[in-house]
Amino acid sequence: MHEIVTLQLGQRSNYLATHFWNTQESYFTYSENEESPIDHDVHFRPGLGADGSETFTPRTVIYDLKGGFGSMRKINALYDIDDAQQMPKGLWDGNIAVQTQQAIGQIDYQRSLDAGLEPPPLDSETVRYWSDFNRVFYHPRSIIQLNEYELHSSLMPFEDWDAGEELFIDLDKEQDLLDRDLRPFAEEADQLQGLQIVTGTDDAWGGFAARYIDRLRDEFGKKSIWVWALEETEKGSRHQEKRGLKKINAARSIQAVASQASLHIPIATGLAGSPSYLKFDRHSPWHISALQATAVESIGLPTRLRALGGRRKTFQTLEDVLNTNNHQRIAKLELSIVNSQSLNLQSSSTASKDPRVTEKGFADTSEDGVHSTNACLTTMDIDLFPGNQPNHSEHIFGRAEILRGNWPQQALGGDDDNGRLRRRFGALPTIERYRTSLLFPLLDSFPKIYDNTSLSGLNSVAVHASLSTTAEVGERLKRIEDVVKMFRGVEERESLLNSLGEIREAYEDGWKCSDEEDDY
């Protein structure tokens, strides 16, 4: 079934992942005559509830600090049983005094969901935690609270990379986190294709994730491990010293993770520029994570869409497109959002429907075409790469794209295996494009951040998303090296600089852009 197990590390990651799981839940169909375009077995596991009924819950492990789960309970309605059944009689028959911390109350949205009522609209003020807009039931094994640190603590902030590394080492020494938390989900899989990790990398979660990935690589060998690496990039939001600490944390995460992960995708929490149709609160994690989740959920769609013609896409399929020299494991994420109704009008007037695309299915276009003409141009509206600096001469080594909606025929194209080989030898980009009529749903748990669609009252949008290995990765690594030179001690600084320099070389050699050909 090509299952994927997810690890969610920390508050920011859980905001993004909650949007992801809400979207997956929306794809379920409940009519015998309607089949979902999504193979739910990839991300969901079957099980039994407390009353013996069948359940279907995410294949995920969710870590957060004390207080980070908000009003969410570890034991939810699917697995709830009477307290009398939960408390076995022990040797002590006397009175027991139990001290409990005051629980965080549910907001009206969650109370309405529990009661089976239409929930009220959400806004940035009512959403306090990621659990406030969650629509999915998780298995109790998925919920892991780390009590050693408290969310938003000023006395013991979970900010330093070393603190996260030490926390993982201590916990793993005591309890073996892989055996306790992850292995039960991995062993349920019939044919595990890989793991995806959503984590902050510019705070202590970066150190926690780095050591976790070390263990995963030892345990799972050559299985795909994708890391969605969140970085705070909003300028002026913190003291200069703390911003410097975050940059160093991010650098250490790249050093530790890039060599172990199959793909490392840095994702910014702030944008250097954005299109006019994007209307969102830059200080709301609910809004920021919604934008990020649109791209993350879309670009991974080929790995869970039902296979057509016997062909199924996997993490490995996308890695083969992006990693053109076996050392390019850092990719940039981009997307554009389009009003699906206007797209339908545009498509019907310019091209006929692709006969290879069935309703809610997908087609991968494998044509050795002419798509190298503008290989050095970035065309997406929203660049989620941290520290992105628009560069029209940016060279693309490899790109995987997903087009959701009725895009015009000329938007399609790509390389077959032979075409991909010829491009690599010719220092041209390899391109793989996938198309599906399945739009991105705008749920009641999703903020109205896409102005061109919310004004029209639509409940879904067309998305064009891409993952690329580009020269911009190398340029950013060079900028990070400049920061490292200013902040670290000599011994550690040299080791970090050497590692970053080696990674950067994979994004510099063996290419030349069309407007720079005369220089070679």
Side-chain angles (χ1 to χ4, degrees):
M1 292 186 288
H2 296 84
E3 298 91 345
I4 297 172
V5 175
T6 302
L7 284 174
Q8 305 169 208
L9 308 181
Q11 188 77 181
R12 283 182 296 172
S13 303
N14 291 329
Y15 265 91
L16 190 161
T18 299
H19 284 299
F20 176 86
W21 293 119
N22 286 348
T23 305
Q24 303 316 301
E25 190 268 343
S26 74
Y27 297 141
F28 277 90
T29 56
Y30 301 96
S31 170
E32 294 182 359
N33 300 324
E34 186 180 6
E35 182 182 52
S36 172
I38 299 296
D39 182 354
H40 296 297
D41 288 325
V42 173
H43 281 290
F44 283 78
R45 54 175 295 281
L48 294 175
D51 60 356
S53 61
E54 293 185 357
T55 63
F56 220 39
T57 53
R59 303 181 190 272
T60 190
V61 182
I62 306 172
Y63 292 92
D64 214 328
L65 305 181
K66 183 178 179 181
F69 287 88
S71 62
M72 176 178 284
R73 296 189 303 157
K74 185 178 181 71
I75 308 297
N76 56 52
L78 292 182
Y79 300 93
D80 207 1
I81 55 179
D82 293 338
D83 289 341
Q85 293 177 307
Q86 295 184 49
M87 299 292 290
K89 186 176 180 180
L91 297 177
W92 174 255
D93 292 328
N95 295 328
I96 299 175
V98 179
Q99 293 184 346
T100 59
Q101 186 177 16
Q102 184 176 1
I104 297 172
Q106 287 185 322
I107 63 172
D108 289 341
Y109 183 88
Q110 287 297 320
R111 283 193 290 269
S112 297
L113 290 179
D114 288 347
L117 303 175
E118 186 74 20
L122 291 167
D123 58 48
S124 297
E125 306 232 340
T126 58
V127 175
R128 310 156 301 169
Y129 304 91
W130 54 267
S131 58
D132 286 338
F133 63 96
N134 170 63
R135 298 182 57 90
V136 180
F137 286 121
Y138 299 96
H139 191 280
R141 285 202 312 254
S142 290
I143 308 300
I144 311 294
Q145 179 170 281
L146 304 181
N147 294 312
E148 288 77 6
Y149 288 86
E150 189 167 358
L151 185 68
H152 303 317
S153 171
S154 58
L155 295 177
M156 287 182 61
F158 199 56
E159 294 180 344
D160 191 88
W161 202 91
D162 290 327
E165 181 182 41
E166 291 169 5
L167 178 60
F168 179 86
I169 293 173
D170 291 343
L171 292 175
D172 196 45
K173 187 182 299 182
E174 292 175 7
Q175 307 179 47
D176 194 329
L177 294 187
L178 260 68
D179 275 349
R180 187 193 71 177
D181 301 338
L182 184 70
R183 195 177 303 281
F185 291 96
E187 291 183 347
E188 289 175 338
D190 292 333
Q191 191 177 355
L192 183 69
Q193 69 164 289
L195 304 102
Q196 64 174 355
I197 302 169
V198 191
T199 181
T201 51
D202 60 356
D203 56 11
W205 287 110
F208 191 93
R211 298 289 75 84
Y212 213 134
I213 294 168
D214 285 345
R215 288 290 317 277
L216 294 175
R217 185 53 74 198
D218 290 341
E219 180 71 21
F220 294 99
K222 295 184 179 180
K223 293 288 185 184
S224 293
I225 300 176
W226 281 31
V227 179
W228 305 99
L230 307 181
E231 297 184 26
E232 184 177 309
T233 54
E234 194 71 37
K235 293 183 179 180
S237 60
R238 285 178 174 266
H239 188 273
Q240 177 68 25
E241 184 177 345
K242 287 194 173 182
R243 290 205 304 272
L245 173 64
K246 282 188 166 291
K247 291 178 181 179
I248 295 301
N249 288 339
R252 296 183 67 183
S253 293
I254 293 172
Q255 177 191 35
V257 172
S259 62
Q260 298 283 40
S262 309
L263 203 63
H264 178 99
I265 306 107
I267 304 177
T269 58
L271 302 177
S274 59
S276 59
Y277 62 74
L278 186 60
K279 307 291 185 183
F280 77 128
D281 182 352
R282 295 176 180 271
H283 301 291
S284 167
W286 180 47
H287 280 210
I288 294 168
S289 58
L291 175 64
Q292 296 167 334
T294 306
V296 169
E297 199 278 328
S298 295
I299 201 65
L301 201 56
T303 66
R304 53 187 173 273
L305 281 165
R306 297 188 184 278
L308 295 181
R311 294 184 297 180
R312 177 188 288 276
K313 302 304 173 184
T314 64
F315 277 167
Q316 184 65 57
T317 307
L318 300 176
E319 292 163 24
D320 290 342
V321 175
L322 298 168
N323 192 354
T324 63
N325 62 15
N326 295 324
H327 299 289
Q328 294 166 330
R329 298 189 180 94
I330 303 176
K332 65 182 295 185
L333 182 63
E334 300 171 277
L335 80 157
S336 295
I337 305 296
V338 178
N339 184 314
S340 55
Q341 290 184 349
S342 63
L343 189 62
N344 288 337
L345 294 174
Q346 177 187 358
S347 181
S348 62
S349 64
T350 58
S352 60
K353 185 176 180 180
D354 188 346
R356 295 169 294 180
V357 182
T358 62
E359 186 64 23
K360 292 188 178 179
F362 87 101
D364 62 289
T365 56
S366 299
E367 303 168 0
D368 188 17
V370 292
H371 298 280
S372 61
T373 306
N374 293 323
C376 296
L377 298 179
T378 299
T379 58
M380 299 292 174
D381 291 341
I382 303 170
D383 187 349
L384 292 173
F385 194 64
N388 59 319
Q389 296 183 357
N391 181 1
H392 294 295
S393 64
E394 175 186 9
H395 180 78
I396 298 171
F397 298 98
R399 170 172 281 184
E401 299 183 5
I402 177 75
L403 297 101
R404 308 180 67 164
N406 192 21
W407 291 82
Q409 188 64 31
Q410 49 264 55
L412 295 175
D415 299 326
D416 58 16
D417 291 340
N418 291 331
R420 192 177 303 148
L421 215 55
R422 288 196 295 273
R423 289 180 181 280
R424 288 184 180 178
F425 282 121
L428 297 173
T430 59
I431 301 173
E432 194 81 10
R433 290 190 174 102
Y434 310 98
R435 174 175 173 172
T436 175
S437 60
L438 180 65
L439 300 172
F440 181 81
L442 300 178
L443 309 174
D444 56 29
S445 61
F446 196 91
K448 297 183 182 301
I449 60 174
Y450 303 129
D451 188 66
N452 63 339
T453 57
S454 61
L455 291 180
S456 303
L458 299 181
N459 57 11
S460 58
V461 289
V463 178
H464 186 184
S466 73
L467 268 181
S468 308
T469 46
T470 78
E472 169 61 16
V473 175
E475 292 171 10
R476 186 194 178 223
L477 290 172
K478 183 65 174 66
R479 294 193 294 270
I480 291 176
E481 290 176 46
D482 293 337
V483 173
V484 171
K485 292 175 183 177
M486 300 187 323
F487 280 93
R488 303 308 293 183
V490 175
E491 183 177 351
E492 185 177 357
R493 180 183 64 189
E494 293 306 314
S495 172
L496 192 50
L497 287 173
N498 289 338
S499 296
L500 294 174
E502 290 175 3
I503 298 171
R504 173 167 50 84
E505 290 177 359
Y507 300 89
E508 294 180 341
D509 296 336
W511 69 271
K512 52 185 178 181
C513 193
S514 58
D515 59 358
E516 298 177 358
E517 290 180 350
D518 295 337
D519 296 335
Y520 288 82

